[in-house]
Amino acid sequence: MKKLIFKFLLPTIIFCSCQKEEGCTDSVAVNFNMEADEDDGSCIYGILGYWDIYSIYYEHQSGFNVLQGESDLEFVEWGTLYEHYDYYDTVLTNEWIIIGDSIQLGINGEDFKYKYDVTKTDLTLIGNTNSWWGPALTTINCIRQ
């Protein structure tokens, strides 16, 4: 009888021990799973880190303008934002907070609210701001450094 039970249990034990654990295998992701052997596409990326702004697109009443980025954003824990300005060789400290699918940035005493999308390498912020040309739908494109 014991041999019969063992014959039925052995394939189950072998099958279970051979299964690979699935999960996020990218160590940059916020849900990185050290135990995962196989990536299942579930990786989620956070906003923390250093982002190089490569373009700012303003869509306003009189048309649109695209500016090359001349600054970088550094999001650190506890809601601190460092703005690195290349042309002034200065760093300003501000605040950020995520509310649902939006991020609110406190920049130079003003608060801006953007929808954001973040991947492993890219950050896009889209929201209404006041530009040199008046109110504008603004898209800021960044790449992770």
Side-chain angles (χ1 to χ4, degrees), residues 13-80:
I13 293 169
I14 291 172
F15 177 73
C16 289
S17 65
C18 292
Q19 279 186 320
K20 291 185 176 184
E21 178 154 351
E22 291 185 354
C24 176
T25 59
D26 188 345
S27 61
V28 176
V30 296
N31 63 331
F32 169 63
N33 181 353
M34 259 181 18
E35 313 256 325
D37 300 312
E38 209 171 288
D39 196 282
D40 64 359
S42 67
C43 295
I44 299 169
Y45 297 94
I47 201 162
L48 293 180
Y50 199 94
W51 298 90
D52 178 33
I53 298 175
Y54 63 85
S55 72
I56 304 173
Y57 177 85
Y58 297 100
E59 185 177 341
H60 47 85
Q61 285 182 337
S62 55
F64 65 90
N65 294 83
V66 178
L67 301 177
Q68 295 301 313
E70 295 180 353
S71 59
D72 303 318
L73 301 174
E74 182 181 6
F75 293 91
V76 296
E77 291 181 339
W78 312 112
T80 302

Side-chain angles (χ1 to χ4, degrees), residues 50-54 72 120-123 141-145:
Y50 199 94
W51 298 90
D52 178 33
I53 298 175
Y54 63 85
D72 303 318
K120 180 177 182 174
T121 57
D122 297 296
L123 170 65
N141 298 300
C142 308
I143 190 163
R144 192 184 297 269
Q145 292 296 308

Side-chain angles (χ1 to χ4, degrees), residues 96-141:
W96 64 274
I97 186 169
I98 292 178
I99 303 168
D101 63 349
S102 297
I103 185 166
Q104 187 168 332
L105 305 178
I107 298 177
N108 301 327
E110 295 184 53
D111 285 340
F112 297 99
K113 189 174 180 181
Y114 297 95
K115 295 285 185 189
Y116 77 101
D117 183 47
V118 63
T119 67
K120 180 177 182 174
T121 57
D122 297 296
L123 170 65
T124 303
L125 305 171
I126 301 173
N128 294 307
T129 60
N130 287 319
S131 68
W132 292 294
W133 307 279
L137 178 63
T138 304
T139 302
I140 301 171
N141 298 300

